[in-house]
């Protein structure tokens, strides 16, 4: 569904450009008062000062939205989530509160494997309706594009099922959120391959990835590159093959220990390396040189009581940093955009302007969509967020509370 819309009397707040913003460019936003954004058939056709045409009948075939001085930003892009899954893991959260670590729960057969079982049991309808509920909640916080990963099937049938749920949500005519699917078959080793990780990688390469590609079910291929999960060598083998098949690469890198995932992302030309809590100095400079988007997920560090990724240092080293939620049932059962803003600014020392770029244009770049979304510019999709007032500093300041008044998707207005 696309529409014609004119938004006027806006305080426009947007990064500018059609590719990722790196280093200090991340802090450069265009802020314009008394601005108008015109959207025709879902695409932005004018951005600039109010022209007054809304008063004289020129816009007969447009919906009119008077922003009354409120901030209007690009729709937020949540470029790393696992929002399609069965079951929950509240008991595991309780064990972690008592001091058990994320990895020790995983090693004794809980963690991702427990969600795998629930996902295999859930079936299409239950998976889809739960995922759709998450999309609605995200949209209320200003998200207009979300990436979602498979990785809770860990067998061909259920991996494909998760991706088909995303495809169906992505093609819903009334969708408020665009959905971008990623294949993450290498999320954990399923029980049937326990102790045979290399054979599981072979299975993914031989039996699953070609089908995902053939059916056009995922654009990206990701791997949980971590000590005790998939080694650097196994990740390299899987991702190099994925790249040959035409997938664009992503990595869960250096989340629990400093393994060299950031370096591997740079070596393989991945579009993004994600988490990076323990990325080395060398990994940071390699990402900056290779143009890998450093996707930081502060809600996960918060929920796991781990130190935050070195966001400030990454930006100062010239990286393009994106922020995302990592919504998943285990390490981070939250898709809170407001809390992501607050943690990024308070603990990772991003400025508000940088955090806005990280959740819009750089998130779009992490999904190879910076040419289409992520800023309010002529030629891009009419995806916007209207805040409750004229002060964009509310985004981190209003801690954990939602200051989004309205979201606009392809020129269609959705009050929250
Ligand atoms: O991004 N670390 C690996 N994957 C997810 C967690 C998945 C889960 O625990 O279910 C993450 O943190
Ligand atoms: Fe993740």
């Amino acid at each position: 569904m696309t529409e014609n819309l004119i938004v006027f009397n806006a305080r426009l707040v947007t990064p500018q450009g059609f590719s990722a913003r790196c280093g200090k460019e991340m802090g450069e936003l265009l802020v314009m008062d008394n601005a108008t954004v015109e959207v025709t058939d879902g695409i932005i056709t004018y951005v600039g000062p109010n022209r007054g045409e809304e008063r004289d009948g020129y816009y007969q075939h447009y919906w009119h939205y008077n922003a009354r001085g409120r901030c209007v930003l690009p729709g937020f892009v949540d470029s790393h989530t696992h929002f399609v899954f069965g079951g929950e893991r509240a008991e595991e959260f309780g064990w972690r509160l008592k001091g058990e670590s994320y990895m020790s729960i995983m090693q004794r057969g809980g963690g991702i494997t427990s969600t795998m079982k629930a996902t295999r049991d859930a079936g299409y309808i239950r998976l889809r309706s739960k995922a759709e509920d998450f999309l609605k909640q995200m949209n209320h916080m200003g998200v207009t594009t979300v990436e979602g990963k498979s990785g809770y099937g860990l067998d061909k049938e259920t991996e494909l099922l998760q991706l088909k749920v995303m495809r169906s949500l992505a093609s819903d005519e009334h969708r408020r959120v665009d959905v971008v699917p990623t294949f993450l078959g290498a999320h954990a080793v399923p029980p049937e391959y326990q102790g045979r990780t290399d054979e599981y990688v072979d299975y993914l390469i031989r039996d699953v990835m070609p089908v995902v590609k053939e059916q056009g079910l995922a654009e990206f291929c990701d791997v949980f590159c971590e000590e005790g999960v998939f080694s650097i060598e196994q990740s390299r083998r899987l991702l190099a093959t994925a790249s040959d098949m035409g997938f664009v690469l992503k990595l869960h890198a250096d989340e629990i220990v400093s393994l060299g995932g950031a370096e591997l992302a740079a070596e393989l030309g991945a579009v993004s390396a994600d988490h990076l809590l323990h990325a080395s100095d060398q990994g940071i400079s390699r990402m900056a040189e290779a143009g890998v988007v450093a996707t930081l997920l502060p809600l996960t560090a918060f929920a796991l009581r781990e130190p935050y990724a070195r966001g400030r240092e990454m930006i100062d080293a010239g990286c393009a940093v994106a922020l995302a939620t990592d919504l998943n049932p285990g390490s981070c059962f939250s898709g809170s955009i407001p809390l992501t803003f607050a943690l990024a600014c308070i603990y990772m020392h991003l400025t508000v302007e940088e955090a806005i770029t990280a959740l819009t244009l750089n998130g779009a770049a992490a999904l190879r969509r910076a040419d289409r979304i992520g800023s309010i510019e002529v030629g891009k999709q009419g995806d916007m967020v209207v805040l409750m007032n004229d002060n964009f500093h509310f985004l981190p300041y209003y801690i954990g509370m939602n200051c989004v008044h309205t979201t606009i998707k392809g020129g269609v207005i959705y009050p929250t």
Side-chain angles (χ1 to χ4, degrees), residues 71-93:
C71 287
V72 176
L73 287 82
F76 298 135
V77 179
D78 191 348
S79 62
H80 181 139
T81 85
H82 311 246
F83 78 100
V84 181
F85 58 85
E88 272 99 29
R89 289 174 12 220
E91 73 298 333
E92 184 183 304
F93 184 72

Side-chain angles (χ1 to χ4, degrees), residues 12 19 81 100 139 176 205 208 231 242 245 261 273 324 366 368 392:
L12 181 72
S19 58
T81 85
E100 195 173 353
N139 184 253
R176 292 162 163 236
I205 289 175
V208 191
S231 66
M245 289 183 189
R368 291 224 307 187
F392 63 82

Side-chain angles (χ1 to χ4, degrees), residues 80 82 89 102 112 152 187 224 252 255 275 300 326 328-331:
H80 181 139
H82 311 246
R89 289 174 12 220
Y102 177 81
I112 294 169
Y152 291 123
H187 196 193
F224 187 14
H252 280 66
E255 178 180 356
H275 283 290
T300 310
D326 197 24
N328 73 74
S331 64

Side-chain angles (χ1 to χ4, degrees), residues 93-130:
F93 184 72
W95 302 333
R96 287 214 313 272
L97 292 182
K98 289 189 188 137
E100 195 173 353
S101 76
Y102 177 81
M103 285 314 273
S104 92
I105 294 168
M106 183 165 177
Q107 273 145 14
R108 64 184 175 82
I112 294 169
T113 310
S114 111
T115 299
M116 176 209 77
K117 290 183 189 126
T119 304
R120 287 181 183 179
D121 288 345
Y124 181 85
I125 303 284
R126 266 191 288 170
L127 285 180
R128 192 187 187 284
S129 72
K130 193 159 143 174

